Amino acid sequence: LTQGETFTSNEVTDVFFGVTKLFQSKDHNLRRMMYLFIKEVAEATNPDDVIIVTSSLTKDMNSSEDLYRANSIRVLARIIDAAMLGAIERYLKQAINDKNPIVASSALVSGYSLYYVSPEVVKRWQNEVNEALNSSNNGGNDMVQYHALALLYQCKCHDRLAVTKLVSQLIKSTPKSPLAICLLIRYAVKMLNGDLNAANAKSTYQFLESCLRNRNEIVIYEAARAICNLPSIEINDISSAVTVLQLSLSSPKSTLRYGAMKALSEIASRHPLAIVKCNEEMEILITDPNRSIATLAITTLLKTGTEGSIDRLMKQISTFMGDIADEFKVIVVDAIRELCLRYPQKNRMLVGYLATFLREEGGFEFKKAIADSIVEVMNSIPDTKENCLFHLCDFIEDCEFAALSTQILHLIGSIGPFTSAPSRYIRYIYNRVILESASVRAAAVSSLTKFAMKVPSLRSSVIVLLKRSLSDEDNEVRDRATLSLYMIQSIETSVENSTENEDDSNFAAPNDISPMLFEPLPMSFDSLEKALDLYSMNESPNQPLVFTSLPIVEEDITSSKNPKMNPNPRLEENSKMAVGQNASIPSSSSMNSDPTNDLYKIPEIASLGRLFRSTSSIALTENETEYLVHCVKHIFDSHVVFDFSINNTIPDQMLVQVEVVLESQDDELYKIISTIPIPLLKYGKKEHCYVILERDLGCQIESSTFSCELHFKVLDVDPSTGEPDGEVDGTDGFPEEYPLEQLEISPPDYMAKVNNLGDFRRGWEQLGTDFEVVEKFALQFRRLEEAVSGVLDFLGMQACDGTGVVQPRNEVLGPPHTLHLCGVFVGNIPVLVRAQLGMTKTEEETIGCILKIAVRSNDPDVSRTIADCIH
């Protein structure tokens, strides 16, 4: 069974009953194996057969032998259901406070498992669990206190106030068990993550600091790591935790050294100056026999070291790169990439090391990380462009990964024509046409075509090379070569016939299709498929199909917010175009299940026209309240639809005629024209009601706040039958009103996070300065990353060209960070924003942020509205 073999039902039954005969055995090892076997095969055995052993297990649970009692409790928790739990509940509650810690722990762990079977029954054990947590009857056993705290938290985790009270009580009387203290530290951190400014936050932080002085190493490490990972914590507040971790670096235990080194590495990414005092200990760990520790030490030193120490550290890195796994090599590569961006003057030496690693043995993820790092350095430091490009050209000469070759070939075709000597790259590209697989040959043909289109002096030579691909064995390669030759020869013919055009590098032939092939699409393939799907469902097929007529589909910008997930999204996206294959996109069935498509099934909403965008869901109630209400704002050209999802969590109530009543102080901009209530809302069900607002197109869009109140009628329900006490048509029941949080609609709600102008710089020039708005603001952010995130939230726009990620050199008091933003305002009005954010110190030594922003669009009112969103 443990090796993956499966038994037939007859085999399982025969073996099961054969094993259960061991209940009569007195051998402890055989009995333990029998209990283990019953747990393993219980799910594959007929439930009627499993019930047969329940009586034997219950007998063992009352045995005088502690080993039998503990194991039988664990087995019973795996095989019984909610109906059978009541028969043995009394025995389990007694076992929780048993003198033997093995029996007590078994009962507590069983309670944790049974909580998912019957939570109401397990919640009745809280008095016994509390006694086990605080009692010395079991000798204050570490595992008993640990399991008791875990079960107690599980029973209260859905009640934030109860959790806060539990943590506060245990902070005042800390358990003796180190494992329980570690668990308490994690619960305390969860509470602080929820609200760092809570009334009991100070006492909780003092508890974490006191744990740094505990005698147990695991408690000290857990507390130090917890303090360092608190949100928005300052450098001065983590100094004590860093000192403790610094001492752990000299521990003889490799596990403690690794844990401390890993925690310091995470701190270095956010507060590199805080761990500079640990550099001496970390340099010693470079020679640690454990290569994982050595890798973390040297990558952390790269984050905290000075420019003068780079050469020495890089020499040490090269000595052990061949001895570590690829996952650690990727960490080293990321550290070198950050170092290149922090010290641009060292880029030639650092890129040289990356190029050396490219030529060494390694898997796809390792080589891809290096290629992405070189491309990011090339984009961030323009002076390195040609040097980096030659390193990538050398790499594809002996690259075993077709995906990387196609990415790099596409990059060469995009950048190579604009270098000082474009002809030098032709040899590298054409070698791929001769020697590589079909997908790489196709990418090489496209790359050659770009050189011919952009560099007139190379056209005749490229035509000769492309003609050789006309007889290629692959259809894709032949088709690309044929199309490329047609485009190049069309331009050549047009130039020869034109006597007025002197510079034909940007000359476009009649019916030129090259922009469609070589310029990036204004949207990703994922968004294009979804937009076409929506267009086919909601538009007339007689309308012309152009990009501007497609519905707005917002991009998934998760990767841009987390650069580690995709260090170079541009290279990734370009590779899909180069290979000539579709990206991994959701199926049409998943698109058709989009909740927004249900709107068009409602006649009142379907008549409003095309949906422009939908906002993310906003909670209007706490998670612990009787009724859970969330709202999504659906934006149309001249209307707004509030989509309220309502969940009834009271078992003995049924709600009828459920609606949300809105009141606004600003009646000029919005007018409520219709409300669509929920006819019937049963317990545990989630239904939707809608409020439709009409927007005055003559008024400028401003922030408006609505007070919300939930109105409904309540019918009592018989818990045994589930039938309501009255008619569900709204004639019976007593009316109720339930207050909700206020709901705000602001200009960012009308902004879709898309870019329909393609390249930002070209789009910026196209919009011009006619309706440009330039402003300067002083913001209260204390970190540059927080300022960038805040500006994105204020404007509701999407960062372009990777500018949403703050590079290490911009973190603290460095040069201003440039931010490029794009979006489409309601009415399909493109909006671009160029901003500069810089940190500065005031006379009081507090850090502030200066924002300079320029907004461009086709509408002066829209430009002013977006600029006024900063507050």
Side-chain angles (χ1 to χ4, degrees), residues 210-222:
S210 67
C211 290
L212 295 175
R213 298 182 290 274
N214 195 284
R215 291 180 297 178
N216 191 283
E217 292 175 339
I218 191 173
V219 174
I220 296 173
Y221 170 73
E222 188 70 31

Side-chain angles (χ1 to χ4, degrees), residues 646-686:
I646 305 172
N647 191 357
N648 175 22
T649 64
I650 302 179
D652 57 354
Q653 285 188 0
M654 183 180 293
L655 311 183
V656 296
Q657 295 301 315
V658 185
E659 63 179 5
V660 176
V661 177
L662 302 181
E663 290 186 5
S664 173
Q665 298 178 353
D666 183 9
D667 295 333
E668 296 181 0
L669 183 57
Y670 298 103
K671 178 183 178 182
I672 300 175
I673 61 173
S674 179
T675 299
I676 305 174
I678 301 172
L680 180 65
L681 183 60
K682 298 181 180 180
Y683 163 68
K685 300 294 184 180
K686 183 171 70 172

